[in-house]
Amino acid sequence: MPQTSASPIAPGARVLIRDTEWLVRRVDKSSFGEKALTCVGVSELVRDKEAVFLTDLEARRTPIQVLDPAATRLVPDRSNQYEDSLLYLESLLRQTPPTDANIYIGHQAAMDLVPYQLDPALQALDKPRQRILIADAVGLGKTLEAGILVSELIRRGRGKRILVVTMKSMLSQFQKEFWTRFAIPLTRLDSIGLQRVRSRIPTNHNPFYYFDKSIISIDTLKQDNEFRVHLEKASWDIIVIDEAQNVAERGHGRTQRARLAKLLSKKSDSLIMLSATPHDGRARSFASLMNMLDPTAIANPDNYGPEDIRGLFIRRFKKDIQHQVKGSFQERRISTSSVQASPEEEQAFSDLVSLNIQSLDKRRSGGHLFKTTLEKALFSSPAACLETIEARLRHLKQKQQNAAQQNIPVSPSFPEAPSANDTPNSKNTANSSLQNVGADYSPSLTDIQALQSLRQSVAAITPERFSRFQKLVELLSDPSNSLYWTGKDPKDRLVIFTERIATLNFLAKHLPGKLGLKDKQFALLHGRLSDIDQQQVVEDFGREESPLRLLVASDVASEGINLHYLSHRLIHFDIPWSLMVFQQRNGRIDRYGQEHTPLIHYLLIQSQTPKIKGDMRILDLLIKKDEEATKNIGDPSALMGVFDIDAEEAKTASALEQGQSAEEFETEVLSGDPEEDLDLLSFLEQGQETLDEHSSSERISQLPTLFEDDFAYARKALTKLSQDQDLNLDIDPEQRVLQVSMPDDLAFRFRFLPREIQPESGLLIFTDDRQTMQDEIKRCRKDEQAWPRLHYLWPLHPAMQWLSDRLQTSFGRHEAPVLTVPTLLEGEIIYLLTGIIPNRKGQSLIQKWFGVTVVQGKLQGIQPLETILERTGLGERTFSNPGDLKISEQAEKLLPDVLHKAQDWMKKVRKSFENELNPQLSEHLQRLEALKDRHKREIQAYYDEQKVAETVKKRRKDEKNREVESLFAEYMQWIEDTLSTEEQAYIKVGAVLQG
């Protein structure tokens, strides 16, 4: 008979709702404080239908009834070799969530696992909440590390709803990595995806509820005000924020990206942030990321210690894990070409150095001198310098016209230089500037004439007289050179990085013809492209079938994008002024999985102009220091100590403006021994938890199973299902490939999955062999279809979940199979049971599979399932089924007593769990109280220094204190709901074994 909903409802329970039977897949806490049950239908009328039921609403009709295990009917299994029972039990076992902090599935993903990649998951699983910043250096595989952790959370029933937020150029790449390697289906909400969703749902519906797992760019969220409303009303189990440095708070203000990230951090229990450059050298910026992970951690973002952030992040460099990879990382080869400037270039350099435009830099409020901006542009290309000059001339001439119209006398000085990127349509218009400055200033005619003269000398640098361009063509065309490249081999593609869009356009116009490339063989990648175009370029560059051979990219491509699949050559056409840009650019091809030696080449110019010659020595020094730091300390940006691209460029610009020599630059800007002086680097090392790499393998565990592997289970299960319905099934055990046509109920589930993974033919092709899957991932880069046709067969695949759901209905409502096992004694009975004790949120906190043994009618001891399986040989041996099975009368008669004993045993398990947990919980709560007091002391100290009216001070202080009280009360309530167990266990009878 059923029990009322007062009994614990946990994942795996069979319940009666509205007179139909449902299998509970997930239990959440509703916004009303009750429970929301995600169920799949078991009864014929609702079979395989998914629904969510709110316990408080259902109570107004008929209370939800949990099927009473004491009323379980024991039925004989008449299938051949007890096949039905084995599949049924296996489906139950596969629904069992791990409840400890070990690795159960992530290590089996379709990848070549290296031990260090497990560390982020292990560190996160050791905590009550899985919230972590994975801050490994460029190229170490942060996406894979995130996938391992996400897989573990899904396996624990804590990953039904997932949101990934990344850069728009990364959407397709991230989505593909999660699907092909982890079978996690993320729906891509780019501009086309959003149009598709909006066309399928009513305008007032939340698109984030339409798909359980989705990926979207931070810029889409930022630009679409409608999404903020949807975000505030949605919640997820896991949120992943890629390139998290872009959402950190800068200074004392929050950018729109930072505000969105702060909002998202409150919308999920688990938060995973990824960044190779997690800080900008400022305590407040890094604190903003830490407070997103744990808002109670840091009381004063300007003053905190390593102990405040311990356990919230993990950071390694290539040098730290080099001994583990053994071939997974190739040793990069660095080369530099120095080319003598042409006479036309020397003239332009000379004119630039002698250029007298001090009026443009007068009263400069920040940024580089305009001459420095011109020099940086000219070091990129004459085209970039001309673009900068033209933009400034247009600006000055517009101001001159406005001054003439207002009868303002022409002045030899102009107060402030507009940005080099200003255009006539810029917000910094002539009228507004004149209004800000007053009527005493107008553009200098001398400045205009000087810029026009410089423009003339720069324009004289034609492609034929542009020395670095000619050197590039020579290097790529000379068979005797190590950089010789024809573009004919589809597996040997070339990446050229440059900072300026004008330089990209120049190379696109002149370089392909010199190399004999056709239009479809080269592409540009920059931030002005749409999200669709950026993703397409990246995808085509990694696909062997694509005609694309040459990619000319701006630094939008230096964050996160994989360019190493078919490319191991990278040329810096201009030299970055920031070591962080070196690191990011080179990391596109020098990364985990690169199969060839990365060839990285820099182009430098030699000039006889002393100022330019000295400046080039500084840029040459940056090249050398980047390589030294990569080998020795891991983080080249640590040398300058500012950890921000703009700040690093400003330091380099300042050195050039001051005329520093390379030696002075090295002494004053680049630390000779960074490990002695870098407080922040030391700070992060002290705040990082240390994990023993040898313990990683020791913490890999496996749940009990009755089948050799996933392939054997899927093969047997699909063969059985094909007997009941028309399934086109083809199995190749030698190649480990399984092909099956999708039945209607599985096809219905696939309707809500990304279009990219939908099989066109209606056939699903699986393999459980990791190497075969990785070969397929590589093979698909040769094909027109960039997504693999093979699906990775492992427990997280949606089809495997469907398979387990189907098998759990093999026996009728509230039935358990009985097997006669010759390895047991005569008169011996073993009841295979599972006991679940959920927390207040309905998540399984304790789950045990065990057997209660009865011998000659007397209850004996309780043994774990592993012991039962070892003793009986169930799953290891094949037992013939006589077919005339008679169920022992004692089996049914003793069932209530067995369940009573099981319930008592689960109470002891619960007591032991609480005895172990309570000291840790008490210590954690004490720490929270101490943190709360510290927060309040910081508030008090802050307002004590404020010179405002006492009434205003008191009001603001009280408001801040209320915020702190609310913050800690919310967190303590979360701890209570998550770690407090229900008193009663949910017991389910899996099967009965009799001798």
Side-chain angles (χ1 to χ4, degrees):
M1 59 180 291
Q3 295 175 309
T4 66
S5 59
S7 302
I9 302 177
R14 299 275 278 264
V15 294
L16 286 179
I17 305 176
R18 305 183 194 180
D19 202 33
T20 52
E21 186 180 355
W22 298 82
L23 171 66
V24 178
R25 290 267 298 276
R26 173 187 172 89
V27 182
D28 295 294
K29 198 169 184 178
S30 72
S31 55
F32 303 105
E34 295 295 326
K35 290 184 173 65
L37 311 181
T38 301
C39 304
V40 61
V42 176
S43 299
E44 192 63 36
L45 186 63
V46 294
R47 176 163 292 179
D48 206 51
K49 304 297 182 185
E50 289 196 2
V52 177
F53 298 101
L54 302 178
T55 54
D56 54 332
L57 293 181
E58 294 303 321
R60 300 174 189 177
R61 298 184 177 93
T62 303
I64 295 175
Q65 298 175 327
V66 182
L67 298 181
D68 182 1
T72 301
R73 293 186 298 276
L74 304 184
V75 298
D77 178 1
R78 304 191 185 283
S79 65
N80 185 35
Q81 297 179 349
Y82 301 113
E83 179 182 275
D84 289 353
S85 293
L86 294 176
L87 288 170
Y88 172 68
L89 280 172
E90 182 70 14
S91 70
L92 295 177
L93 290 171
R94 285 173 174 259
Q95 298 291 335
T96 303
T99 53
D100 59 23
N102 290 333
I103 298 290
Y104 282 89
I105 191 171
H107 63 293
Q108 299 173 356
M111 54 186 281
D112 293 322
L113 184 73
V114 186
Y116 78 87
Q117 294 173 328
L118 296 177
D119 291 344
L122 289 170
Q123 179 173 313
L125 291 170
D126 279 335
K127 306 294 185 297
R129 299 177 91 179
Q130 285 69 54
R131 298 172 77 87
I132 187 172
L133 166 65
I134 303 177
D136 285 345
V138 172
L140 263 62
K142 290 181 290 296
T143 304
L144 299 181
E145 293 171 350
I148 290 170
L149 176 52
V150 170
S151 298
E152 290 295 327
L153 292 173
I154 293 174
R155 186 64 183 85
R156 286 160 168 79
R158 300 179 185 179
K160 183 177 188 292
R161 285 184 46 75
I162 301 171
L163 176 69
V164 175
V165 180
T166 186
M167 310 300 290
K168 59 183 180 181
S169 58
M170 291 279 294
L171 290 171
S172 179
Q173 175 182 299
F174 204 111
Q175 178 197 26
K176 191 181 298 182
E177 285 286 285
F178 258 44
W179 172 251
T180 57
R181 301 191 186 278
F182 303 98
I184 300 174
L186 301 173
T187 298
R188 192 166 73 233
L189 297 180
D190 53 19
S191 51
I192 291 179
L194 286 170
Q195 292 175 10
R196 191 179 299 133
V197 172
R198 283 170 168 157
S199 68
R200 293 168 67 176
I201 64 175
T203 54
N204 62 335
H205 282 209
N206 192 332
F208 293 121
Y209 277 125
Y210 191 76
F211 296 108
D212 279 335
K213 299 175 178 65
S214 54
I215 181 170
I216 193 168
S217 82
I218 187 70
D219 290 323
T220 298
L221 291 176
K222 182 181 71 174
Q223 294 165 5
D224 198 325
N225 292 330
E226 177 187 348
F227 278 115
R228 183 172 182 86
V229 178
H230 292 317
L231 285 175
E232 290 173 346
K233 295 179 180 179
S235 61
W236 291 267
D237 299 315
I238 305 169
I239 291 178
V240 181
I241 300 179
D242 193 23
E243 302 297 339
Q245 73 276 2
N246 295 311
V247 302
E249 295 177 15
R250 305 295 182 185
H252 287 269
R254 286 183 188 170
T255 63
Q256 196 170 359
R257 286 177 172 180
R259 289 195 297 270
L260 279 169
K262 192 76 172 178
L263 171 63
L264 286 172
S265 70
K266 302 174 182 178
K267 295 295 179 181
S268 172
D269 267 358
S270 298
L271 176 63
I272 304 168
M273 307 180 91
L274 312 177
S275 175
T277 53
H279 56 81
D280 61 359
R282 299 175 180 88
R284 178 173 287 269
S285 173
F286 191 68
S288 71
L289 296 180
M290 296 297 97
N291 276 331
M292 289 180 200
L293 296 168
D294 181 0
T296 70
I298 298 174
N300 184 345
D302 295 313
N303 182 20
Y304 55 95
E307 68 281 355
D308 295 320
I309 58 175
R310 185 164 287 115
L312 291 177
F313 72 98
I314 186 168
R315 181 159 173 77
R316 285 83 53 89
F317 299 98
K318 190 188 293 186
K319 68 179 183 64
D320 300 320
I321 52 87
Q322 192 77 44
H323 62 288
Q324 294 187 28
V325 293
K326 297 195 177 179
S328 297
F329 284 100
Q330 305 295 326
E331 190 70 27
R332 67 169 67 166
R333 189 188 305 163
I334 302 294
S335 57
T336 303
S337 292
S338 295
V339 56
Q340 186 64 48
S342 67
E344 291 79 6
E345 288 174 314
E346 289 286 19
Q347 183 63 52
F349 288 146
S350 177
D351 290 349
L352 175 61
V353 170
S354 61
L355 186 67
N356 184 9
I357 52 171
Q358 294 180 358
S359 59
L360 285 176
D361 294 312
K362 189 176 180 181
R363 290 169 59 177
R364 178 173 61 117
S365 59
H368 314 326
L369 291 170
F370 184 59
K371 278 183 66 172
T372 309
T373 300
L374 287 171
E375 182 178 11
K376 196 168 191 282
L378 187 54
F379 282 175
S380 180
S381 70
C385 190
L386 283 173
E387 181 185 61
T388 303
I389 293 171
E390 295 289 358
R392 186 51 56 98
L393 281 173
R394 287 195 300 268
H395 197 79
L396 293 180
K397 289 177 180 178
Q398 182 63 48
K399 284 185 173 293
Q400 192 178 51
Q401 291 176 9
N402 291 341
Q405 292 171 3
Q406 299 177 35
N407 296 319
I408 298 175
V410 173
S411 168
S413 61
F414 180 72
E416 186 172 350
S419 164
N421 294 321
D422 281 346
T423 66
N425 295 324
S426 172
K427 294 180 181 178
N428 189 13
T429 61
N431 286 335
S432 62
S433 293
L434 285 171
Q435 185 178 354
N436 291 335
V437 173
D440 295 331
Y441 298 99
S442 65
S444 166
L445 291 173
T446 305
D447 284 347
I448 293 176
Q449 291 168 355
L451 285 175
Q452 288 174 334
S453 176
L454 179 63
R455 177 180 61 182
Q456 186 174 356
S457 60
V458 173
I461 307 174
T462 62
E464 292 73 24
R465 310 308 294 167
F466 184 10
S467 59
R468 275 187 301 115
F469 173 69
Q470 293 300 323
K471 185 65 176 179
L472 174 64
V473 174
E474 176 190 329
L475 289 170
L476 297 176
S477 305
D478 182 3
S480 64
N481 190 284
S482 61
L483 282 177
Y484 175 62
W485 182 80
T486 64
K488 295 179 180 179
D489 184 355
K491 297 180 181 179
D492 184 12
R493 302 185 175 185
L494 177 64
V495 183
I496 299 178
F497 267 107
T498 180
E499 181 184 63
R500 298 299 184 101
I501 299 294
T503 307
L504 258 76
N505 292 331
F506 169 85
L507 291 172
K509 181 178 180 181
H510 297 282
L511 185 58
K514 295 286 186 180
L515 301 178
L517 298 178
K518 300 177 182 178
D519 288 347
K520 291 184 178 181
Q521 292 183 300
F522 71 92
L524 302 183
L525 182 62
H526 52 81
R528 298 179 187 176
L529 296 176
S530 69
D531 54 356
I532 301 299
D533 290 339
Q534 286 189 34
Q535 292 174 75
Q536 190 62 54
V537 169
V538 173
E539 192 162 289
D540 286 346
F541 192 71
R543 191 162 52 85
E544 192 173 326
E545 183 68 19
S546 165
L548 183 57
R549 297 290 183 271
L550 169 65
L551 179 64
V552 184
S554 74
D555 289 323
V556 72
S558 66
E559 285 189 325
I561 295 174
N562 292 332
L563 299 178
H564 66 291
Y565 298 129
L566 300 175
S567 175
H568 64 283
R569 304 170 188 268
L570 187 151
I571 295 175
H572 296 259
F573 190 73
D574 47 30
I575 308 302
W577 289 18
S578 161
L579 289 168
M580 292 180 72
V581 175
F582 277 90
Q583 185 182 23
Q584 291 176 348
R585 284 185 181 181
N586 294 337
R588 295 316 101 218
I589 66 163
D590 183 12
R591 58 193 302 107
Y592 177 78
Q594 172 63 266
E595 297 178 350
H596 303 280
T597 299
L599 303 178
I600 297 170
H601 194 81
Y602 298 92
L603 290 171
L604 284 169
I605 192 166
Q606 290 183 340
S607 173
Q608 299 305 312
T609 305
K611 171 74 168 68
I612 302 300
K613 186 175 183 179
D615 291 351
M616 276 295 164
R617 287 192 64 200
I618 286 179
L619 298 185
D620 188 29
L621 180 63
L622 285 176
I623 295 173
K624 293 180 172 62
K625 285 295 182 180
D626 168 71
E627 191 56 22
E628 289 177 14
T630 299
K631 291 180 179 178
N632 298 325
I633 63 173
D635 186 1
S637 61
L639 294 178
M640 288 192 183
V642 291
F643 304 97
D644 177 78
I645 290 175
D646 292 337
E648 287 191 339
E649 290 183 347
K651 277 199 167 191
T652 304
S654 177
L656 301 184
E657 290 167 1
Q658 295 172 26
Q660 286 186 347
S661 66
E663 292 74 16
E664 290 171 331
F665 181 70
E666 182 174 15
T667 302
E668 298 178 20
V669 181
L670 303 177
S671 171
D673 187 0
E675 292 184 315
E676 287 184 2
D677 304 321
L678 286 174
D679 292 336
L680 185 56
L681 188 63
S682 174
F683 180 82
L684 292 180
E685 288 177 352
Q686 294 174 40
Q688 179 163 299
E689 287 190 348
T690 55
L691 290 170
D692 182 1
E693 64 183 69
H694 300 293
S695 68
S696 298
S697 58
E698 295 172 2
R699 290 183 59 182
I700 293 176
S701 300
Q702 182 178 354
L703 291 169
T705 179
L706 302 178
F707 287 82
E708 181 181 355
D709 49 41
D710 294 322
F711 190 86
Y713 168 63
R715 176 184 182 182
K716 183 69 72 173
L718 288 170
T719 301
K720 172 178 170 50
L721 291 181
S722 66
Q723 297 170 0
D724 302 327
Q725 61 185 100
D726 186 19
L727 286 182
N728 183 1
L729 186 61
D730 187 12
I731 300 171
D732 186 342
E734 291 186 5
Q735 297 297 320
R736 309 288 294 182
V737 173
L738 186 155
Q739 179 175 290
V740 61
S741 59
M742 282 205 296
D744 292 342
D745 51 352
L746 180 57
F748 179 80
R749 294 194 185 194
F750 262 73
R751 286 179 51 198
F752 300 93
L753 299 180
R755 292 182 62 174
E756 292 83 0
I757 70 173
Q758 306 279 352
E760 295 181 3
S761 61
L763 292 175
L764 288 172
I765 308 173
F766 293 101
T767 183
D768 72 330
D769 184 77
R770 282 190 283 184
Q771 188 57 54
T772 300
M773 190 65 211
Q774 291 189 82
D775 291 343
E776 171 67 6
I777 292 171
K778 292 178 183 179
R779 187 206 62 78
C780 76
R781 297 186 193 125
K782 304 177 183 179
D783 203 345
E784 286 292 340
Q785 173 54 259
W787 286 73
R789 291 179 293 124
L790 270 178
H791 289 220
Y792 188 46
L793 184 70
W794 79 325
L796 298 192
H797 194 285
M800 293 290 272
Q801 179 65 64
W802 162 82
L803 200 55
S804 292
D805 289 345
R806 286 292 303 270
L807 292 172
Q808 286 189 45
T809 63
S810 299
F811 293 91
R813 178 189 297 183
H814 220 27
E815 293 180 345
V818 178
L819 298 77
T820 297
V821 182
T823 50
L824 294 182
L825 301 174
E826 185 177 352
E828 183 179 11
I829 302 172
I830 298 179
Y831 299 80
L832 293 183
L833 310 174
T834 179
I836 303 171
I837 300 180
N839 59 19
R840 293 180 182 177
K841 299 169 74 174
Q843 299 168 338
S844 298
L845 208 55
I846 303 170
Q847 179 144 4
K848 299 288 185 181
W849 271 95
F850 55 95
V852 179
T853 304
V854 173
V855 178
Q856 301 301 334
K858 293 182 180 181
L859 292 176
Q860 305 295 314
I862 292 179
Q863 294 178 313
L865 178 63
E866 292 86 347
T867 302
I868 302 295
L869 296 181
E870 183 178 353
R871 184 188 161 206
T872 61
L874 196 67
E876 292 289 334
R877 296 178 51 180
T878 300
F879 300 115
S880 60
N881 187 345
D884 57 348
L885 177 68
K886 292 184 179 180
I887 300 174
S888 167
E889 292 183 5
Q890 286 187 336
E892 292 183 334
K893 182 179 178 182
L894 292 173
L895 183 57
D897 293 336
V898 167
L899 292 170
H900 182 73
K901 186 177 182 67
Q903 194 67 252
D904 287 343
W905 183 75
M906 286 299 296
K907 287 179 181 178
K908 293 177 183 178
V909 172
R910 175 177 178 263
K911 184 67 175 176
S912 175
F913 174 83
E914 291 187 337
N915 288 340
E916 183 178 342
L917 178 67
N918 285 340
Q920 302 173 32
L921 187 57
S922 176
E923 181 182 346
H924 192 63
L925 292 175
Q926 288 176 13
R927 179 177 174 272
L928 283 176
E929 284 293 339
L931 275 172
K932 183 168 71 171
D933 291 341
R934 182 177 171 186
H935 276 258
K936 290 187 173 182
R937 288 196 303 271
E938 291 287 350
I939 292 171
Q940 182 69 45
Y942 175 80
Y943 283 104
D944 283 347
E945 297 177 359
Q946 300 302 303
K947 296 180 180 180
V948 295
E950 286 300 322
T951 54
V952 174
K953 185 185 295 187
K954 184 179 184 306
R955 186 183 74 249
R956 292 176 180 174
K957 187 169 62 175
D958 289 345
E959 182 180 327
K960 286 291 183 183
N961 279 323
R962 284 194 297 271
E963 289 179 6
V964 168
E965 287 287 350
S966 175
L967 172 67
F968 279 84
E970 181 181 330
Y971 190 35
M972 288 180 179
Q973 184 63 52
W974 180 89
I975 290 176
E976 192 174 339
D977 289 342
T978 305
L979 299 181
S980 296
T981 57
E982 296 280 4
E983 293 185 6
Q984 197 80 358
Y986 167 76
I987 305 289
K988 180 179 179 62
V989 182
V992 175
L993 310 180
Q994 64 180 19

